[in-house]
Amino acid sequence: MAVKTWTSERVTSADINTYLTNSGLVYVSQTTVGSGSATATINSCFNSTYDNYRVVVTLDCTAECEVRMKMRDASGADSTANYAHQRLLVNGTGTTAQRATGGTYGIIAFANSTTVSFSGDVLLPNVSTDATFWQMQNLTRSETIRIEMLNTLYGANKAFTGFEFTLSTGTIDSAVISVYGYRKP
Amino acid sequence: MRPQITEHDALTNQTIVREMTDAEYDQLLADGWTAGEEPLEPAPVEEPVTEEPPALEEEAGEA
């Protein structure tokens, strides 16, 4: 959408509809998860309307853990050994790096306490000719400031329609998972 | 105890919470999921030991 220059004090319904239709980041879904679940699945959130998405998560859990991800389609979760992740943690003056390949799940965040928030982009999840790439940053809300980044890859060409989170240990106390799509030009 | 699974469908905006199927739970365990810290078992209560004072030996008087 071209940049609009206002020439009148009146905003018409057509103007509003134009902005709603052409906004850059479009709400897709929001899921509230209560206590007792180890897995939260979000189905039918990826389709051809958008190529790239943003996922924002606020998570309280019962134990310190990894937050694991699997891609999903109509057949359910994909547990093939196509996942890899690279982690970068900068905490004070110390830096930690970690990598794993050939996993049956990806890691997209670390809950270094039982309260964590993370967000980032999911690139090309519904494009059958491309791999899926997650770029996430997470913040442990009760810890001191730090930088923690996870790049996670599903390294085969496949179209997915959803994803799921699973904790490595314990269960979710509460979570809010929001998905937005990047509008195509 | 087997954890639950929360499922959300973005098309219908419906969320359900259900028990995991056997296959889902088996996969969860195969991926290394653990339930976390088990409740601590109470420490065994030790029985109070009552020591009886040693019997006083009567000093044998010298004859």
Side-chain angles (χ1 to χ4, degrees):
Chain A
M1 180 179 64
V3 174
K4 183 172 179 63
T5 301
W6 301 107
T7 55
S8 164
E9 293 179 350
R10 175 175 295 178
V11 179
T12 66
S13 59
D15 289 331
I16 294 172
N17 288 334
T18 297
Y19 273 91
L20 289 175
T21 303
N22 297 302
S23 62
L25 200 57
V26 183
Y27 169 81
V28 173
S29 80
Q30 185 171 81
T31 307
T32 300
V33 184
S35 63
S37 290
T39 301
T41 71
I42 316 297
N43 295 314
S44 306
C45 61
F46 301 143
N47 57 46
S48 60
T49 303
Y50 313 107
D51 287 339
N52 305 306
Y53 295 80
R54 185 155 190 90
V55 175
V56 182
V57 180
T58 301
L59 169 68
D60 288 6
C61 45
T62 60
E64 296 182 11
C65 61
E66 303 168 354
V67 181
R68 298 168 174 174
M69 175 278 299
K70 291 187 180 184
M71 301 304 297
R72 294 180 63 88
D73 60 13
S75 301
D78 188 318
S79 296
T80 56
N82 284 316
Y83 296 88
H85 77 270
Q86 175 71 56
R87 176 193 189 197
L88 172 64
L89 169 63
V90 182
N91 188 8
T93 57
T95 303
T96 301
Q98 178 186 6
R99 170 185 286 184
T101 59
T104 55
Y105 54 81
I107 299 174
I108 54 171
F110 283 82
N112 300 303
S113 79
T114 55
T115 57
V116 63
S117 293
F118 53 96
S119 64
D121 290 341
V122 184
L123 309 179
L124 305 173
N126 191 249
V127 178
S128 61
T129 54
D130 270 294
T132 299
F133 195 64
W134 290 63
Q135 302 170 304
M136 306 299 283
Q137 294 199 52
N138 75 277
L139 172 67
T140 301
R141 302 200 303 275
S142 60
E143 295 277 342
T144 53
I145 188 68
R146 62 176 66 184
I147 299 169
E148 189 157 25
M149 304 172 67
L150 270 297
N151 279 355
T152 305
L153 174 72
Y154 180 90
N157 296 347
K158 189 174 178 180
F160 295 103
T161 54
F163 62 94
E164 69 181 36
F165 293 154
T166 296
L167 307 184
S168 61
T169 301
T171 55
I172 296 168
D173 269 338
S174 65
V176 178
I177 303 166
S178 303
V179 180
Y180 303 86
Y182 284 99
R183 188 186 69 83
K184 296 179 185 178
Chain B
M1 193 176 77
R2 183 180 298 201
Q4 296 173 319
I5 184 168
T6 297
E7 285 186 328
H8 179 80
D9 189 297
L11 285 182
T12 61
N13 198 30
Q14 296 294 311
T15 302
I16 63 168
V17 181
R18 61 171 175 80
E19 298 298 321
M20 287 190 172
T21 64
D22 289 345
E24 288 168 337
Y25 189 53
D26 289 345
Q27 182 64 55
L28 187 72
L29 296 178
D31 288 337
W33 179 83
T34 57
E37 291 185 3
E38 297 291 333
L40 294 175
E41 292 183 5
V45 177
E46 295 184 3
E47 294 287 337
V49 177
T50 304
E51 292 186 6
E52 294 184 3
L56 295 175
E57 293 183 5
E58 292 184 3
E59 292 184 2
E62 293 184 3

